[in-house]
Amino acid sequence: MDSDGTRDARGTHASPVPRPAGPPEVPAMPPRPPGAPATPPMPDGSAFLTWLRAPRPDAAPGVWRFGHRPRPAEEPEEIPARQLLSGALIAFLVGWLIWSLLQNGYIGTWWWVPFDLIVPDAWRGGDSDLGETGTFILYQGYEVLVALAIMVGAARLGRWGEVWRRFVTPRFRRPRAQETRTTPEDDPAQWNELRAAGAADAAERLAAEARTGLMRDVDHARILRAWQGVRTGRHSLATFSGAVLKDGAAACLHPSGERDLPARLARHDLVTGQVRLGTTVDDARNPYAYRGTGLALGPDLLGTSLVAVGPAGSGKTGTVVRPLAESLCLHALAGRAAVVVVGAAGAGLGPADAYDVVVRIGNQDSEYDLDLYGGTTDPDEAAAVLAEALVGDLADPHPGSDSRRSTTVLAQLLGPFRAVHGRFPSVPELRQLLDGAPGPFAALRQGLQETGQESLLRELDARERQMGQPGDVGGVLGDRVALLDRPAFAGFFDTSGQTRPFTLKALDHPVRVRIDLPQRGHADASKMLARLVLAQFTASVAVREDRSLFACLLLDDATGVVTPEAVRGIQRLRSGNAGVVLTLRTLDDVARPLRGPLLGATGCRMALSGLTPWDGQDFAEVWGKEWTEARDVTDRQIIAETPAGKAVHMLRRVITGKAPTARAVTVRQVERERWSASELAHAVPAGHAVLSLTDVKGEHAPPLLVDLRG
């Protein structure tokens, strides 16, 4: 039960998913003794229980649900402060004036009529049955009631309640402690679902671990994931209960043995699966329900894929990719996700201890290698993926054909080579075959003749006839393979079994992978390898058996990676419970015919500050237009001719702060862009971004201005 769902993929390695070389080093913490939990326990579990019981109401896509308080969909109309305070003061003065007039008898004694009708005659006068004191109290009480009635009327007329809420209450309001659900039936810390299923002992053990501070958010998420396996029938209740009773909060561990990351930089909520990226700005262009709320992403949104565009220094890596990578690594430790993070060496994508596998291409100290053929044994499948990596960026690599010709050429070589040698060719061997070297061809031919592989021999003959003819793509493929046949990559892409190659077939299991590309000095090779990883990712997730595990590829700097086949692959990811995150410095890094399809294939689109107007135009087109209410207001000043009119106008000026005018308002419905290209280029402050969201269920959020630093 401890290793369920985390054993390695079929045939991709000879050993389970490798563990980090050593335990993570947490700053400012002493080394833990052997056998101790990865995260030192707190003195008690109050902090964990407060977090677990915090309200998480349902909210619109992208809203940080932890402790969220829903707002109205429409903004309430608010009276200007000066007008509100002036009206309150005038209402008070009017009420005081009326009371003074009543007390002094200037408007008669009619206000005593209700008193005379209700109070018996025996209670009036000095010799009444109540006595002098009782009579005095009776008369004074009636006056107080009248005064209160006048005060209530003045308060309603002057909106004193709104004045109190806007100007008095905020000065004395103290932050409320987060509400917790303490009802035993709804308390998540009691694990009532386990009790109802007959695992009361396991539930009690987990509840005790939570109370004593031995459980953390990753433990809670991981055990819930294991419990889902019991509910779906993949595991037995007895096995689950036995693991919990034995190990408590440390049950069902990830193969790495870790229960948390070495460090966290972002705010995470593993109950909802969200990571907070920033705060939605309180701006008129944002819907009122979103203003001031936290902005967060999770697998439900990343399942539609995300593309983020912004110049260097706009925060793509630090404020978008790094928090998402950190969140998905936590999900992997909880058994919920598999993540592959690809970027330049030293890009700041998280420490090596946060990953199970770190592939440093071009670094001879790298413990792991990258399988050039994606772990497949099918020559046609390997040829298709490799052709996409080598020449997928060439819109028209040869006249009158497309990338299928490149796939055919590679298949004509990979099939015979595997039949003879039992493996695919290494990079130098593949280069020789593409260049038409006579020695390798003769060896292949002899091997096929000896084994009687007539069909593969015909494939080899066809390749030999096509070499050197006009339109042959073998030379283009050979030139691209030559970028990998460099001394820096001499120890990589080995197919003889002497290295530890990582393949994306392992995405059937919650593995954490970081691939460092050698962009410095090998920019073209890095682009080609990034295309290779993307092609292998889209091919692998489509054939996974367990699609309940979310798979995500984070590609920092997708320059030269977006191809027609890549766009088609991204469109298919949502149905496979997978997604990709792509960052670009500019949309000019994508071929012009592919920009619209790329933005259409991704459900989440982010435009960071510093965007060019040309890039902004593409975002403006994909976000479309909306109907808005346009008001044309014409003000004409009113001139008073009489002294009374002038006095009234002066009073209005004191109250409103404006000269008396006659206003004509014309209201029209017009269609305008949600965000224009000019606004995206010039009205997005530094550290901000405009982000639209779509979740896997189809619900969407309009473009939102977000402060990525909040």
Side-chain angles (χ1 to χ4, degrees):
M1 185 69 193
D2 294 351
S3 62
D4 174 74
T6 54
R7 289 191 296 271
D8 207 357
R10 306 173 304 281
T12 57
H13 293 280
S15 58
V17 175
R19 303 185 182 187
E25 297 180 1
V26 182
M29 288 187 180
R32 63 181 187 273
T39 305
M42 296 180 61
D44 59 69
S46 59
F48 171 77
L49 293 177
T50 300
W51 168 83
L52 184 60
R53 293 166 175 166
R56 295 171 176 88
D58 293 335
V63 173
W64 173 252
R65 291 172 52 193
F66 179 78
H68 172 63
R69 294 179 180 176
R71 304 181 66 181
E74 299 293 335
E75 181 178 8
E77 295 185 3
E78 192 172 83
I79 302 174
R82 180 173 180 176
Q83 182 177 346
L84 181 63
L85 294 176
S86 300
L89 177 61
I90 291 175
F92 171 76
L93 295 176
V94 169
W96 176 78
L97 176 62
I98 293 175
W99 177 247
S100 298
L101 293 176
L102 292 176
Q103 286 290 94
N104 295 317
Y106 283 103
I107 55 177
T109 59
W110 57 267
W111 57 286
W112 284 100
V113 172
F115 180 84
D116 295 336
L117 294 176
I118 297 174
V119 177
D121 294 339
W123 291 3
R124 307 175 193 171
D127 54 352
S128 67
D129 297 342
L130 299 177
E132 293 185 1
T133 302
T135 303
F136 176 78
I137 294 176
L138 182 64
Y139 277 84
Q140 291 296 319
Y142 180 74
E143 290 184 351
V144 169
L145 290 177
V146 174
L148 289 176
I150 295 174
M151 183 183 298
V152 171
R156 294 179 62 87
L157 181 65
R159 301 178 184 268
W160 291 2
E162 187 171 351
V163 172
W164 181 269
R165 288 190 299 270
R166 286 176 57 179
F167 300 103
V168 180
T169 303
R171 297 181 179 273
F172 301 98
R173 180 183 298 168
R174 297 180 179 179
R176 296 181 181 178
Q178 288 190 340
E179 300 176 3
T180 58
R181 293 174 295 177
T182 57
T183 305
E185 294 78 8
D186 299 329
D187 189 357
Q190 296 300 319
W191 301 86
N192 292 318
E193 191 171 355
L194 274 66
R195 299 177 190 274
D201 293 342
E204 190 59 39
R205 174 68 186 275
L206 293 175
E209 298 269 293
R211 289 192 300 270
T212 56
L214 296 176
M215 181 178 289
R216 289 297 182 268
D217 55 354
V218 177
D219 300 327
H220 180 267
R222 188 184 63 252
I223 294 173
L224 276 182
R225 168 71 178 176
W227 175 248
Q228 289 176 358
V230 175
R231 294 177 57 188
T232 56
R234 294 176 56 198
H235 318 302
S236 67
L237 179 61
T239 304
F240 171 81
S241 300
V244 171
L245 291 175
K246 176 184 176 183
D247 300 320
C252 313
L253 274 181
H254 187 266
S256 64
E258 299 300 324
R259 298 168 60 185
D260 206 344
L261 297 178
R264 300 189 189 186
L265 299 181
R267 295 181 60 187
H268 304 273
D269 183 25
L270 291 181
V271 172
T272 60
Q274 294 180 313
V275 55
R276 180 166 178 151
L277 297 186
T279 303
T280 308
V281 179
D282 190 0
D283 186 272
R285 289 169 292 194
N286 287 335
Y288 182 73
Y290 277 94
R291 296 179 196 173
T293 64
L295 191 283
L297 298 182
D300 58 330
L301 293 170
L302 296 180
T304 63
S305 297
L306 165 68
V307 59
V309 183
S314 58
K316 299 186 298 297
T317 301
T319 61
V320 179
V321 178
R322 175 66 187 275
L324 292 178
E326 191 174 277
S327 174
L328 291 169
C329 285
L330 289 172
H331 282 285
L333 290 178
R336 295 175 172 178
V339 57
V340 180
V341 183
V342 182
L349 299 176
D353 288 343
Y355 297 91
D356 303 310
V357 175
V358 178
V359 182
R360 299 183 174 94
I361 301 177
N363 188 336
Q364 300 303 322
D365 296 331
S366 178
E367 186 178 357
Y368 300 99
D369 193 2
L370 181 65
D371 192 333
L372 198 63
Y373 302 99
T376 183
T377 58
D378 184 357
D380 293 326
E381 182 182 347
V385 173
L386 189 57
E388 168 67 12
L390 295 177
V391 295
D393 60 324
L394 301 179
D396 189 13
H398 43 277
S401 187
D402 53 22
S403 61
R404 288 177 292 181
R405 290 280 300 275
S406 303
T407 302
T408 302
V409 169
L410 289 172
Q412 289 172 341
L413 298 174
L414 297 182
F417 191 95
R418 180 171 180 80
V420 173
H421 299 281
R423 60 178 177 85
F424 289 124
S426 62
V427 170
E429 291 170 334
L430 181 59
R431 182 182 181 184
Q432 289 179 344
L433 292 174
L434 290 171
D435 290 341
F441 262 90
L444 276 183
R445 181 179 301 279
Q446 182 180 356
L448 293 174
Q449 290 174 345
E450 292 175 353
T451 57
Q453 301 279 350
E454 295 296 334
S455 61
L456 294 177
L457 189 59
R458 289 194 298 269
E459 290 279 293
L460 193 63
D461 291 339
R463 174 86 288 268
E464 196 167 10
R465 288 193 304 268
Q466 294 169 2
M467 286 190 304
Q469 295 184 0
D472 180 44
V473 298
V476 178
L477 292 170
D479 292 340
R480 288 300 180 92
V481 172
L483 295 174
L484 301 179
D485 191 16
R486 305 295 300 163
F489 308 133
F492 287 85
F493 317 118
D494 180 72
T495 58
S496 62
Q498 298 178 0
T499 61
R500 302 179 66 184
F502 171 78
T503 75
L504 273 76
K505 293 290 186 180
L507 296 182
D508 269 338
H509 308 282
V511 62
R512 303 168 294 167
V513 184
R514 194 186 79 192
I515 301 176
D516 294 344
L517 300 178
Q519 289 189 350
R520 187 173 182 179
H522 301 279
D524 292 336
S526 295
K527 295 177 183 178
M528 194 161 57
L529 292 172
R531 288 196 300 271
L532 176 67
V533 174
L534 178 58
Q536 291 184 358
F537 178 83
T538 55
S540 298
V541 298
V543 296
R544 291 188 304 160
E545 293 183 359
D546 183 10
R547 295 193 177 185
S548 65
L549 191 72
F550 179 68
C552 190
L553 170 66
L554 280 70
L555 189 52
D556 191 32
D557 191 2
T559 302
V561 176
V562 181
T563 66
E565 185 59 34
V567 172
R568 287 190 288 269
I570 292 173
Q571 291 173 337
R572 296 190 294 265
L573 291 178
R574 185 186 303 189
S575 61
N577 192 23
V580 297
V581 176
L582 307 176
T583 67
L584 294 164
R585 292 186 180 93
T586 172
L587 287 175
D588 288 338
D589 292 333
V590 179
R592 183 69 206 179
L594 294 177
R595 297 178 193 175
L598 173 64
L599 294 175
T602 54
C604 304
R605 313 170 189 101
M606 177 182 289
L608 289 94
S609 60
L611 212 65
T612 65
W614 299 272
D615 288 345
Q617 184 62 41
D618 290 318
F619 278 99
E621 289 179 0
V622 75
W623 281 332
K625 300 180 179 181
E626 62 179 348
W627 288 99
T628 61
E629 188 178 83
R631 291 173 172 261
D632 296 331
V633 180
T634 303
D635 287 338
R636 178 180 60 84
Q637 185 174 357
I638 303 175
I639 305 300
E641 298 180 354
T642 63
K646 293 180 179 180
V648 172
H649 286 189
M650 183 178 298
L651 181 61
R652 289 182 59 182
R653 183 187 294 272
V654 170
I655 297 174
T656 63
K658 299 178 181 179
T661 58
R663 173 173 295 182
V665 180
T666 303
V667 180
R668 296 179 295 117
Q669 293 290 327
V670 297
E671 193 176 21
R672 292 179 179 174
E673 291 178 325
R674 299 177 184 271
W675 278 84
S676 68
S678 178
E679 289 177 325
L680 290 171
H682 306 294
V684 180
H688 291 62
V690 180
L691 172 65
S692 65
L693 302 169
T694 304
D695 65 14
V696 292
K697 296 180 180 179
E699 298 183 9
H700 61 88
L704 306 170
L705 180 61
V706 179
D707 184 358
L708 298 176
R709 302 165 301 185

